[in-house]
Amino acid sequence: MTLIAPSANIAGLKESATIAVSARAKALRAAGFPIIDLGAGEPDFPTPQFVVEEAHRALDAGATRYTQVEGILPLREAIATRANDLRGSTAIEPANVVVTTGTKQSLFNACFALFGDGDEVLVPTPGWPSYYEMIALARATPIAVRGARENDLKVTADDLRRAATSRTRGVVVNSPCNPTGAVYSKSELADIATLAAERGWWIVSDEIYREISYNGPATSMLSVAPSLDTLVVVDGVAKSFAMTGWRIGWSIAPIALTRSMTALQSQTTSNAATLSQHASLAALNGATSRATIDAMVSQFKDRRDRALAMLREADVDVIEPGGAFYLFVHAGRSSHDDPEPGSTFAKRLLEEAHVAVVPGVAFRTPEWVRMSYAAPAEQVVEGVRRMIARRIS
Ligand code: PLP
């Protein structure tokens, strides 16, 4: 058999650390064990009916062909309007928007267009795994900046200042954060934005969980950044509208960068799926959109409160999430010299208690695990009960 060596482009690419857990969870389920899956990063609700109906209508009307690479104009208009509402301006136009195949593609477009060999990009850590990998795919270096436990693992402008070098070109911001659910306050974001502006860094702000927030709306970088000239905001319909499979995201960026990202996309994937663009337009403009999101968020909050109360009662170290749908739980003290207590705990939880969670090593914090509460409330409660019973102590 001929072994095919990967090219230098992907030689360092890491496979998702969650794959082993989900493969094992699948195998156990296939063997007949009732697995409680608290690993998934997607809402367990169906896509709202009015969105599905609009997709049917669009299909009947022939929404089956290519669109402009950057996406249909009405969708880009709707995205620009929402962005202007957040900014309190009229500065953002459809020409600042690229519609992409999921928010992931917006992030990839931005990393690939902005960063390159020799550049360093600061990534608040724990952080979503793809940030590190996408920055590395652009041949830049992701610099993991750890947030302090006292600050719910969020980074401060001072943390970023300390980690910066003359090679720093950008910083990633993700609020509410995956995996902790921590929400940055307006002043915390403003401090980071001011530092970035002083240093001439790009800010890549991933706001995909912004609508899933429990103490009033989470602040957007659009409302605090001193200037839009070095800001890329990415968002999408996956989480707030329970539309993970439709694969629609977008970037809001300066026009020159938007052109570069459109050119990149024109040579890689072209437009995001036409039908999904129409469905997303319905989601953003729907008369009942706000009420639909509020209803989902209220269920997430109820599950969060129940799980949090149980974990606190058992004296488990857990970050209180102000948004998203994850609980980040400390795996406890390991009795031996274990470099990955979170992985040990996650493995034990799956093998012995049939609960799937994601080991913290995936987010570059090996002492923790992430459990999702985007699952029916009774499963969340039962999963947490088993977690508490099997915690490393
Ligand atoms: N950003 C974060 C923080 C996420 O958690 C996810 C999905 O899990 C994404 C981006 C990707 O979103 P999409 O499904 O729109 O590509």
Side-chain angles (χ1 to χ4, degrees):
M1 186 174 60
T2 315
L3 285 178
I4 301 177
S7 79
N9 295 332
I10 63 153
L13 188 65
K14 287 193 198 67
E15 242 185 64
S16 159
T18 61
I19 283 178
V21 178
S22 56
R24 182 71 188 134
K26 274 197 192 99
L28 285 169
R29 190 173 276 150
F33 295 104
I35 300 295
I36 296 180
D37 188 357
L38 304 183
E42 67 177 330
D44 53 316
F45 304 109
T47 296
Q49 192 53 31
F50 72 91
V51 174
V52 175
E53 281 164 14
E54 184 52 40
H56 281 291
R57 264 196 296 279
L59 199 52
D60 289 340
T64 58
R65 308 178 77 99
Y66 291 136
T67 70
Q68 302 95 299
V69 169
E70 62 273 31
I72 56 173
L73 183 60
L75 179 55
R76 287 184 294 120
E77 281 171 344
I79 292 163
T81 301
R82 283 161 65 98
N84 279 322
D85 288 348
L86 292 167
R87 181 85 183 153
S89 79
T90 52
I92 299 157
E93 298 173 14
N96 296 101
V97 177
V98 187
V99 176
T100 56
T101 301
T103 308
K104 250 185 182 163
Q105 191 184 15
S106 285
L107 284 162
F108 182 80
N109 285 350
C111 289
F112 214 68
L114 287 175
F115 309 125
D117 209 8
D119 294 342
E120 292 178 355
V121 184
L122 306 177
V123 185
T125 299
W128 185 57
S130 298
Y131 300 139
Y132 308 95
E133 299 305 322
M134 288 184 188
I135 292 164
L137 279 171
R139 306 208 185 188
T141 306
I143 304 293
V145 184
R146 262 308 267 263
R149 173 65 191 90
E150 313 79 78
N151 197 31
D152 287 342
L153 303 178
K154 290 182 286 186
V155 299
T156 62
D158 278 340
D159 295 329
L160 297 170
R161 200 176 276 116
R162 276 191 293 274
T165 72
S166 58
R167 292 165 171 252
T168 307
R169 293 284 171 273
V171 56
V172 174
V173 175
N174 175 217
S175 173
C177 170
N178 178 5
T180 61
V183 177
Y184 284 68
S185 70
K186 194 167 186 177
S187 69
E188 287 170 327
L189 286 182
D191 287 349
I192 293 172
T194 304
L195 173 67
E198 277 165 20
R199 302 286 176 97
W201 300 340
W202 280 94
I203 299 174
V204 178
S205 183
D206 179 351
E207 306 191 353
I208 190 161
Y209 294 101
R210 196 179 50 77
E211 302 265 19
I212 304 174
S213 169
Y214 307 122
N215 310 310
T219 305
S220 166
M221 260 297 172
L222 285 166
S223 25
V224 296
S227 148
L228 299 179
D229 292 348
T230 46
L231 175 64
V232 186
V233 171
V234 302
D235 198 348
V237 291
K239 315 286 177 174
S240 18
F241 290 97
M243 291 178 68
T244 45
W246 298 79
R247 310 305 304 130
I248 293 291
W250 54 82
S251 55
I252 299 156
I255 286 183
L257 175 61
T258 296
R259 285 206 190 103
S260 302
M261 293 192 293
T262 306
L264 172 62
Q265 188 163 302
S266 77
Q267 302 294 7
T268 50
T269 59
S270 294
N271 65 271
T274 304
L275 182 60
S276 298
Q277 292 189 55
H278 286 277
S280 300
L281 177 61
L284 294 188
N285 283 350
T288 53
S289 295
R290 186 70 268 153
T292 307
I293 295 175
D294 288 349
M296 283 194 271
V297 170
S298 137
Q299 288 205 47
F300 284 138
K301 182 171 184 302
D302 177 57
R303 298 170 191 175
R304 177 202 71 160
D305 290 347
R306 290 169 74 177
L308 205 52
M310 290 170 74
L311 290 163
R312 287 205 169 128
E313 169 77 24
D315 216 14
V316 172
D317 185 10
V318 55
I319 309 286
E320 174 166 338
F325 37 69
Y326 307 109
L327 278 158
F328 211 45
V329 177
H330 198 275
R333 270 178 297 111
S334 197
S335 52
H336 53 286
D337 212 8
D338 184 353
E340 285 185 24
S343 306
T344 307
F345 178 42
K347 190 159 182 250
R348 202 160 104 187
L349 205 52
L350 184 58
E351 297 297 331
E352 298 173 11
H354 301 149
V355 179
V357 297
V358 179
V361 71
F363 313 98
R364 303 208 175 185
T365 41
E367 323 84 273
W368 297 76
V369 297
R370 186 196 79 179
M371 61 152 274
S372 159
Y373 48 92
E378 58 289 354
Q379 288 195 26
V380 172
V381 167
E382 178 56 19
V384 170
R385 195 189 63 72
R386 294 186 201 174
M387 268 175 105
I388 291 168
R390 292 199 172 54
R391 209 162 63 97
I392 302 169
S393 55

